[in-house]
Amino acid sequence: MTQPQHDSRALRNALGRYATGVTIVTAIDPDGHPIGLTVNSFAAVSLEPALVLWCLDNKSHNLEAFRKATHHAVNVLAADQQDLSTRFATWPADRFAGLPWHAGVGGAPVFPACCATFEMAKVTEHAAGDHTIFVGSVERFSETPDLAPLLFHAGRYRELSDLA
Ligand SMILES: Cc1cc2nc3c(=O)[nH]c(=O)nc-3n(C[C@H](O)[C@H](O)[C@H](O)COP(=O)(O)O)c2cc1C
């Protein structure tokens, strides 16, 4: 169905038909505290050089901290990490309280038991409407093959299933 361009609810719904994985993007703020939020706007950009991007809402509490950070880490969540996704999308306070993590390149927090992690040095940022696009150069990455990913589609968490 065609919708008027200004109907942002309808646009959001239509965009939600594009199924994605779910990540938590992290960094260290200028005071040395870990920051992070749930993100599904992560995307591959280039292989040579290795570049990835993600988009941050300009209303984020951590916009300035992510802009100042030299490194970001992208943690690609597994199907059994839905709680982590909810926590990093909703908790206003210390989202890292009680969680295991280690400092990746540039200090950005890396979580265990993810499908993949990408530790990136921030290369550029672009103002794009109500979001900021961060492009990073992948300095280190890891993957756990065989670990089922957490998916997001039409406003709901999903799991992967093979087609017959
Ligand atoms: C599945 C999912 C994907 C999301 N993707 C993004 C995203 O790509 N960019 C973004 O800025 N917020 C995204 N959000 C919303 C943020 O996680 C949420 O608004 C969070 O509370 C922002 O925290 P902050 O203000 O502390 O940065 C997503 C939320 C969910 C549940």
Side-chain angles (χ1 to χ4, degrees):
M1 185 173 28
T2 307
Q3 296 286 345
Q5 210 179 357
H6 61 267
D7 189 338
S8 61
R9 163 67 63 173
L11 176 60
R12 182 189 287 249
N13 289 345
L15 289 169
R17 296 284 157 194
Y18 183 62
T20 67
V22 182
T23 75
I24 294 175
V25 180
T26 63
I28 290 292
D29 75 11
D31 298 324
H33 299 126
I35 56 169
L37 77 157
T38 302
V39 161
N40 70 345
S41 56
F42 170 65
V45 176
S46 163
L47 285 177
E48 290 290 341
L51 299 174
V52 295
L53 69 76
W54 68 284
C55 305
L56 181 61
D57 192 324
N58 291 335
K59 292 196 292 291
S60 165
H61 301 102
N62 289 312
L63 175 64
E64 285 313 311
F66 274 113
R67 294 184 72 185
K68 287 187 177 129
T70 57
H71 291 75
H72 301 167
V74 178
N75 297 270
V76 179
L77 297 186
D80 64 359
Q81 292 177 313
Q82 186 184 328
D83 288 354
L84 215 52
S85 176
T86 303
R87 176 195 280 232
F88 278 79
T90 53
W91 276 32
D94 183 8
R95 293 172 172 164
F96 289 82
L99 289 181
W101 59 273
H102 73 267
V105 181
V110 173
F111 295 114
C114 290
C115 291
T117 57
F118 300 91
E119 298 166 50
M120 62 195 234
K122 205 179 68 192
V123 174
T124 48
E125 60 182 69
H126 304 278
D130 55 14
H131 278 61
T132 298
I133 304 170
F134 291 105
V135 178
S137 155
V138 178
E139 299 207 334
R140 189 160 65 193
F141 65 93
S142 70
E143 65 161 330
T144 310
D146 300 332
L147 195 57
L150 182 63
L151 303 182
F152 196 69
H153 174 258
R156 293 180 54 189
Y157 293 106
R158 317 272 183 173
E159 271 189 271
L160 199 63
S161 65
D162 289 338
L163 292 174

